[in-house]
């Protein structure tokens, strides 16, 4: 990280160093091949778990590292500078299912699911979207019906990150009835595991970017879930999902800053080496202005993200702040990677350099965990909420 809002604490520097070393040793040599082959490397989960990176914000009493949000995001940015696919796996696991279990789970649920997740023995996923319910998440159709001491779920979830590998999936389903539709208040959250009868993994998406992160559909066909797998209260699942996405969006913002930082560094290095018209192209003002604007956008996105993280760590409401951080960081990542390709010229358009992967990986940050348009809606609504 080239620049931080305030000096990092010793602990933050240590975690940042650990993430940087790990990414350089265990991820960087393989990233291009994983991207090419759309390969998710399962051994990474165990290795990241051993470092504690799958329980970063989980308190020590539940086998986590008990770090604050800012420290977690600093580590996530480091991983994302090397591989955005690994970063999204970490972001989803650390920001969504584990935080939902921590906040709304019973002690039994924490013992059974959260502790092994914190140790990296079980990987988490989050299933809100459906083929017909993306930005309008409250229109989801997966139905859960209470039958004796279990819930029976039918429906299809879509765009589930880590979906082929997810071992603990927090899935949102309707618990209202066709005669008594309750909108966002008719949705509940469930702890789903792949061993449940009626669970199956559907289509694996063939994506433009983040190719080493498996994104799948999940099918629930008369899937029986024991009643004690309901998370929190009936009818609160949508609210839980929205509150969790306030955290998740900070993770995606950190991923975006990491992608942008990597593009900036690679473009700056290339501009110093590449000669045209008898000089390194960094000596041309056209290139200098691009690099200056790229560096400014990376620094602003990181600054807003760190402000939002600090607000969260102070216990403040961050709905608007996290939407702003994600909006600025994801649009900066797309813009910065586009400029980086331009600086590389033809070499940016081929796979010899990793910059084209950064460009492909950046695009989804403007789409998932709420599109840029949804972030703008959240930000604008909050202007009138007081
Ligand atoms: N925190 C707490 N409560 C919230 C909230 C938040 N951030 N956002 C909404 N709510 C509450 C509202 O207060 C309201 O509560 P009441 O019933 O008490 O009034 C209720 O939830 C319904 O809210 P809205 O009326 O605002 O709901 P809406 O239908 O208009 O939708 C939306 C709002 C912001 C558009 C929301 O649907 C949204 O964020 N959509 C995008 C969905 C999204 O981000 N999906 C990403 C899926 S995960 C993914 O990308 C894959 C991955 O794994 C990486």
């Amino acid at each position: 990280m080239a620049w931080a809002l305030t000096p990092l604490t010793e602990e933050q520097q240590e975690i940042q160093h650990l993430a940087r070393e790990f990414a350089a040793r265990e991820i960087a040599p393989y990233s291009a091949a994983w991207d090419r082959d759309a390969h998710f490397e399962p051994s990474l989960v165990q290795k990241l778990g051993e470092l504690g990176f799958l329980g970063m914000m989980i308190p020590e009493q539940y086998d986590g590292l008990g770090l604050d949000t800012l420290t977690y995001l600093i580590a996530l940015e480091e991983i994302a500078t090397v591989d955005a696919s690994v970063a999204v796996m970490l972001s989803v696991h650390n920001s969504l299912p584990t935080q939902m279990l921590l906040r709304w789970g019973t002690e039994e649920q924490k013992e059974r699911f959260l502790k092994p997740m914190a140790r990296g023995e079980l990987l988490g996923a989050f299933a809100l979207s459906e083929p017909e319910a993306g930005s309008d998440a409250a229109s989801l159709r997966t139905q859960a019906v209470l039958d004796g001491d279990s819930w029976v779920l039918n429906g299809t979830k879509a765009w589930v990150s880590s979906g082929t590998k997810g071992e603990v999936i927090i899935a949102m389903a309707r618990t209202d009835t066709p005669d008594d539709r309750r909108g966002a208040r008719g949705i509940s959250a469930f702890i789903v595991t792949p061993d449940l009868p009626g669970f199956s993994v559907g289509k694996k998406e063939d994506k433009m970017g983040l190719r080493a992160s498996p994104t799948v559909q999940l099918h629930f066909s008369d899937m029986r879930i024991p009643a004690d797998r309901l998370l929190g209260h009936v009818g609160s699942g949508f609210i839980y999902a929205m509150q969790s996405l306030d955290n998740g969006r900070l993770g995606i913002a950190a991923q975006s800053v990491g992608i942008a930082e990597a593009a900036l560094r690679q473009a700056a290095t290339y501009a110093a080496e590449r000669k045209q018209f008898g000089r390194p192209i960094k000596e041309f003002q056209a290139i200098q202005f691009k690099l200056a604007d790229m560096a400014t956008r990376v620094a602003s996105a990181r600054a807003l993200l760190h402000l939002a993280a600090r607000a969260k760590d102070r216990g403040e409401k961050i709905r608007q702040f996290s939407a702003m951080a994600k909006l600025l960081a994801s649009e900066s990542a797309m813009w910065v990677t586009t400029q980086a390709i331009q600086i590389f010229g033809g070499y940016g358009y081929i796979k010899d350099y990793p910059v084209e992967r950064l460009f492909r990986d950046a695009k989804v940050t403007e789409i998932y965990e709420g599109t840029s348009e949804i972030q703008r809606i959240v930000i604008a609504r909050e202007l009138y909420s007081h």
Side-chain angles (χ1 to χ4, degrees), residues 135 161 185 239 242-243 246 249 319 368-370 381:
S135 290
S161 299
R185 293 281 173 176
I239 312 288
M242 289 297 117
Q243 287 184 348
D246 290 344
R249 288 167 184 164
R319 195 187 300 190
Y368 64 15
E369 297 209 13
R381 280 187 186 175

Side-chain angles (χ1 to χ4, degrees), residues 355-366:
V355 70
E356 63 85 33
R357 173 160 56 89
L358 296 171
F359 175 83
R360 288 186 286 108
D361 288 350
K363 184 59 210 172
V364 77
T365 65
E366 295 181 316

Side-chain angles (χ1 to χ4, degrees), residues 88 91-92 96 103 125-130 133-139 158-163 182-185 210 213 215 235 238-249 252 255 317-320 322 326 364 367-371 373-375 377-378 381-382:
V88 76
S91 177
V92 168
L96 297 170
R103 190 146 177 208
F126 176 79
L128 173 66
S129 305
E130 297 183 357
S135 290
D136 184 8
S139 70
W159 310 114
V160 183
S161 299
S162 308
R182 297 183 176 201
R185 293 281 173 176
L210 284 197
S213 159
T215 306
F238 184 78
I239 312 288
Y240 298 162
M242 289 297 117
Q243 287 184 348
S244 305
L245 282 168
D246 290 344
N247 299 332
R249 288 167 184 164
I252 302 307
Q255 179 199 32
K317 181 182 158 196
I318 55 151
R319 195 187 300 190
Q320 188 185 44
S322 74
K326 182 191 183 266
V364 77
I367 298 172
Y368 64 15
E369 297 209 13
T371 61
E373 292 72 18
I374 290 294
Q375 307 311 322
I377 287 171
V378 172
R381 280 187 186 175
E382 286 295 300

Side-chain angles (χ1 to χ4, degrees), residues 36 39-40 71 111 127 167 190 267 306 325 347 376:
R36 186 192 60 222
H39 173 70
F40 174 89
T71 310
E111 194 65 37
E167 289 147 321
F190 295 90
H306 287 198
Y347 292 103
R376 288 186 168 88

